Amino acid sequence: MTQERIRIRIRTRARARLSPGRVAAWAVMIAVLVATVFPFYWMIRTALTPAADIYSDSTGLVPHHPTMINFLRVLGLTSQEEARAAGGSGAQVDFLRYLLNSVVYSGLIAVLQTLFCAMAGYAFARLRFPGRDAVFGVLIAALMVPPIFTVLPNFVLVKDLGWMNTFAGMVAPSVLMTPFAVFFLRQFFLSIPREVEEAAVLDGVGAWGIFWRVVMPMSRGPLITIGLTTTVWAWKDYLWPLLTGREEETRVLTVALGIFQQQSPNTQPDWTGLMAGSALSVLPVLVLLIVFGRRLVESLNFTGIK
Amino acid sequence: MGANTTVAPPRRRVGIRTEKKGGAGRPRKVRDDRRAAWLFLVPALAGFGLFYAYPTVRGVYYSLTDYSLLGAPNFTGTDNYRHLIGDEQFWNALKVTGYYVALNIVSQTVLALGLATLMHRLTRSVALRAMLLVPWLVPNVSVGLLWMWMLDANLGFVNHILDALGMGTTGFLTSPTWAMPTVAGINTWAYTGYTALLLYAGMLQIPQHLYESATLDGAGEWRMFTRITLPLLRPVLALVLVVSLIGSFQIFDTIAVTTKGGPVSSTRVIYFYIYEQAFTNFHMGYASAIAVVLALLLGVLTAVQMRLLRASRSDLA
């Protein structure tokens, strides 16, 4: 039965490979891939073009005089004069710092949010206490509140707390919990067999010990899934850090790019500098993809559908 | 999840003997759980109270006030809502948002469905799927800047191509007619791969033998798509559709970078309008009123989503 099915599959595959339809399908697929990736190539290509050449040399696939100067000046590694000579606005930019701020911002959110949501998820999945289902229901209801609605009062709150332009103010609304992560992790914890915990109880481990030493290690997959999607989300975040962290010390990459865009020296934006800055914002994401590629792809199956 | 007690009675005593937590008294298991549970829930409940529940109440209150962020909010009753009815910019924002959502959802869903089918019938390559995911991983701000450059009227790559083909150049983002379709196109580029992967994941749940027997019966790819893939994917498709619908109602970053609502309000979507009212014009009260309306609108959409979710579960059973 199974063997037969395997043979059929091989046969259909082999036959299909010859068909012109399949060739056409691959052609379309390759076209889609090119359309997906080419803009990124063009971003790098522009970043490697000297600003002075941009009017004369913006068609060929390779720049005539490739240079690293755009990367150096947006990283703040050149003097102001050099940066201005290379087409910059002369304003102080230091994307190295913004890159670091972005890493701190998304790192704090990803780690703390995952931890706190796991704790809550565990309590809802495994511990018994009066009003559990009601509390869970109320917490999950927060899924219904659109972000823009809480952004306005949260901004006022952070301002009143005196937390503007501090990482505390920037991460406060998202580090403690997000309803989806609580829901998602609770679902997973429900599926862990109770026997595993019972053995730990026999050994005299308390709830906190069970959570840390038994449940968390067993849940590495879902935790990484939630951690990764949270990282991506925080990395892309723009509005909230724009409102609460505009100043140099807390400015993240997305906000820095927006500000850099407005500091154009001429009538045209500083395209070579902007593309160098944008490329820097893509770089860490690519590293993430190379390290966690399979996990990231599979996490979509998890969080998207189930 | 049948058992009523976490731990069987005889074992309980053993566990309690060396219990690290609990301090003085050795209460019964139920009480232990209660204390531990609330401790586990402290961060999440604080986050919920401070940054979800309290702001929701504040937001509704602000919507009933005149509030410039400088002084204290000044209670004005339903003034903001009455002003909203006569505000042409508000209605324009709703209209423009609807236009964007329609453009974006249709193009994104159709393309993603096609792309997912191609992947499903051609290859299982993870590398390929990872490549399609890249645009989704990139901040919308970078995506917006990248496409502003690609579409630049004088120096942009796209206009070079159009020019070479003898089609002339277009200021895509500076034309009131083309700005919104262009923004929708940019976000379609950014999110189609992601949506396609969600749909692809749904397709993997369709039993493979259905395709095998269809092939044996001599069915072509189109027939398999319309008779097998599409009907069996419907629940997943509906879910993905509603989730991206709710998401696209909240478009902000791309607009903020590329067009800032212009030219002549042609891309001033509701989210951007709220932002402008609150942080450019300092009409926090009025912005809150618009946010309340948007929240209600999205609430209805979410309710529809819940409906579909339940429907999809019974469909799969």
Side-chain angles (χ1 to χ4, degrees):
Chain A
M1 175 68 185
T2 5
Q3 256 187 348
E4 199 180 329
R5 183 165 288 161
I6 290 167
R7 216 176 320 127
I8 291 168
R9 189 179 295 174
I10 291 167
R11 200 146 23 106
T12 54
R13 278 266 166 91
R15 196 174 58 186
R17 202 171 294 139
L18 297 170
S19 75
R22 220 174 149 84
V23 175
W26 268 111
V28 172
M29 179 71 98
I30 288 164
V32 169
L33 282 179
V34 170
T36 303
V37 174
F38 182 78
F40 292 111
Y41 172 74
W42 204 247
M43 175 192 274
I44 305 286
R45 188 258 184 236
T46 306
L48 294 174
T49 308
D53 283 10
I54 198 120
Y55 290 93
S56 58
D57 180 21
S58 61
T59 42
L61 280 178
V62 184
H64 292 313
H65 312 287
T67 172
M68 288 300 285
I69 186 74
N70 298 311
F71 284 103
L72 294 178
R73 69 186 168 90
V74 297
L75 284 170
L77 298 175
T78 54
S79 70
Q80 302 262 349
E81 292 72 37
E82 280 177 296
R84 209 176 291 121
S89 65
Q92 185 70 45
V93 281
D94 185 357
F95 271 82
L96 206 57
R97 168 170 217 164
Y98 313 141
L99 196 70
L100 201 68
N101 285 344
S102 271
V103 170
V104 171
Y105 178 72
S106 37
L108 274 176
I109 291 178
V111 171
L112 293 176
Q113 192 193 80
T114 306
L115 170 68
F116 293 143
C117 289
M119 284 165 58
Y122 179 70
F124 286 127
R126 274 300 194 260
L127 303 176
R128 354 201 103 255
F129 57 97
R132 180 175 72 174
D133 295 343
V135 175
F136 181 66
V138 170
L139 220 67
I140 292 306
L143 273 171
M144 305 273 280
V145 185
I148 189 72
F149 189 63
T150 47
V151 159
L152 307 179
N154 276 341
F155 173 80
V156 177
L157 180 64
V158 165
K159 199 165 80 78
D160 288 347
L161 287 170
W163 282 1
M164 292 303 266
N165 295 304
T166 65
F167 279 109
M170 288 166 73
V171 303
S174 36
V175 278
L176 293 172
M177 78 92 121
T178 188
F180 179 75
V182 174
F183 174 76
F184 175 83
L185 291 171
R186 172 183 171 268
Q187 290 301 99
F188 180 80
F189 295 150
L190 282 174
S191 72
I192 296 178
R194 270 171 203 277
E195 291 74 36
V196 180
E197 291 163 68
E198 281 169 18
V201 172
L202 267 180
D203 293 341
V205 182
W208 185 247
I210 293 174
F211 173 71
W212 267 117
R213 283 189 264 156
V214 181
V215 174
M216 289 294 265
M218 283 184 73
S219 317
R220 206 174 288 155
L223 288 170
I224 292 176
T225 295
I226 277 289
L228 273 179
T229 37
T230 310
T231 309
V232 171
W233 170 81
W235 186 263
K236 295 170 67 168
D237 212 359
Y238 177 60
L239 178 59
W240 183 252
L242 173 73
L243 295 175
T244 55
R246 270 186 88 90
E247 295 300 317
E248 186 83 10
E249 311 84 64
T250 49
R251 191 182 298 168
V252 297
L253 265 174
T254 50
V255 177
L257 278 170
I259 292 173
F260 189 52
Q261 180 196 8
Q262 286 152 18
Q263 296 171 332
S264 59
N266 318 306
T267 43
Q268 272 283 343
D270 174 9
W271 286 122
T272 54
L274 275 170
M275 289 303 108
S278 302
L280 289 174
S281 80
V282 181
L283 203 65
V285 162
L286 280 183
V287 172
L288 207 68
L289 194 67
I290 289 162
V291 178
F292 292 104
R294 184 173 286 270
R295 183 99 242 159
L296 212 58
V297 167
E298 278 163 4
S299 74
L300 293 185
N301 306 9
F302 258 139
T303 53
I305 309 293
K306 285 287 164 77
Chain B
M1 306 294 109
N4 260 335
T5 44
T6 325
V7 184
R11 287 171 181 175
R12 187 200 294 151
R13 220 171 295 135
V14 186
I16 279 167
R17 203 186 56 212
T18 41
E19 188 88 281
K20 275 196 271 174
K21 290 190 154 207
R26 281 289 122 83
R28 287 175 302 127
K29 183 68 194 156
V30 181
R31 287 201 65 180
D32 251 8
D33 259 12
R34 183 183 305 194
R35 189 191 293 158
W38 292 116
L39 283 174
F40 271 95
L41 284 172
V42 165
L45 288 180
F48 174 79
L50 274 172
F51 299 108
Y52 286 89
Y54 174 68
T56 300
V57 177
R58 287 308 278 186
V60 174
Y61 170 67
Y62 289 154
S63 80
L64 301 170
T65 66
D66 180 17
Y67 184 27
S68 69
L69 273 177
L70 291 172
N74 183 16
F75 191 80
T76 55
T78 55
D79 274 11
N80 286 326
Y81 292 96
R82 260 178 283 158
H83 183 225
L84 208 61
I85 295 167
D87 181 2
E88 265 177 53
Q89 278 295 335
F90 167 70
W91 293 108
N92 178 64
L94 276 184
K95 200 183 76 189
V96 165
T97 309
Y99 182 41
Y100 167 77
V101 172
L103 284 173
N104 188 52
I105 289 297
V106 170
S107 62
Q108 192 173 304
T109 311
V110 170
L111 283 173
L113 195 56
L115 188 55
T117 312
L118 278 178
M119 277 192 280
H120 185 227
R121 303 296 295 149
L122 285 179
T123 172
R124 312 225 138 178
S125 158
V126 174
L128 187 141
R129 279 186 271 162
M131 270 164 84
L132 291 172
L133 200 56
V134 179
W136 174 71
L137 293 166
V138 174
N140 293 329
V141 174
S142 309
V143 168
L145 288 171
L146 171 57
W147 279 99
M148 267 181 98
W149 166 235
M150 294 280 291
L151 297 169
D152 186 83
N154 303 312
L155 303 168
F157 181 82
V158 173
N159 274 314
H160 277 312
I161 301 282
L162 290 179
D163 205 22
L165 294 172
M167 294 163 81
T169 56
T170 312
F172 290 94
L173 289 160
T174 48
S175 141
T177 324
W178 286 108
M180 195 45 118
T182 305
V183 171
I186 292 172
N187 277 4
T188 299
W189 176 82
Y191 287 92
T192 295
Y194 173 74
T195 312
L197 289 180
L198 293 180
L199 294 176
Y200 172 80
M203 287 179 187
L204 288 181
Q205 291 168 5
I206 300 173
Q208 183 65 33
H209 67 84
L210 291 179
Y211 292 98
E212 281 157 20
S213 40
T215 312
L216 287 179
D217 291 345
E221 287 291 337
W222 177 251
R223 213 174 152 76
M224 286 198 262
F225 175 72
T226 52
R227 296 292 170 85
I228 302 173
T229 310
L230 216 47
L232 289 175
L233 191 67
R234 215 198 66 216
V236 175
L237 186 62
L239 181 60
V240 169
L241 204 66
V242 183
V243 170
S244 45
L245 187 77
I246 292 170
S248 62
F249 259 94
Q250 306 182 48
I251 177 184
F252 173 79
D253 303 359
T254 317
I255 299 278
V257 171
T258 56
T259 62
K260 300 194 167 50
V264 287
S265 298
S266 61
T267 60
R268 184 166 277 108
V269 290
I270 190 127
Y271 214 116
F272 193 74
Y273 188 49
I274 294 173
Y275 167 81
E276 279 186 323
Q277 286 295 339
F279 301 105
T280 312
N281 305 340
F282 300 108
H283 295 153
M284 194 56 113
Y286 191 52
S288 299
I290 311 172
V292 168
V293 173
L294 179 63
L296 291 175
L297 201 67
L298 291 174
V300 172
L301 279 174
T302 312
V304 172
Q305 180 196 359
M306 296 296 191
R307 260 305 225 330
L308 286 169
L309 255 169
R310 218 166 296 140
S312 75
R313 201 179 302 150
S314 61
D315 276 358
L316 285 172

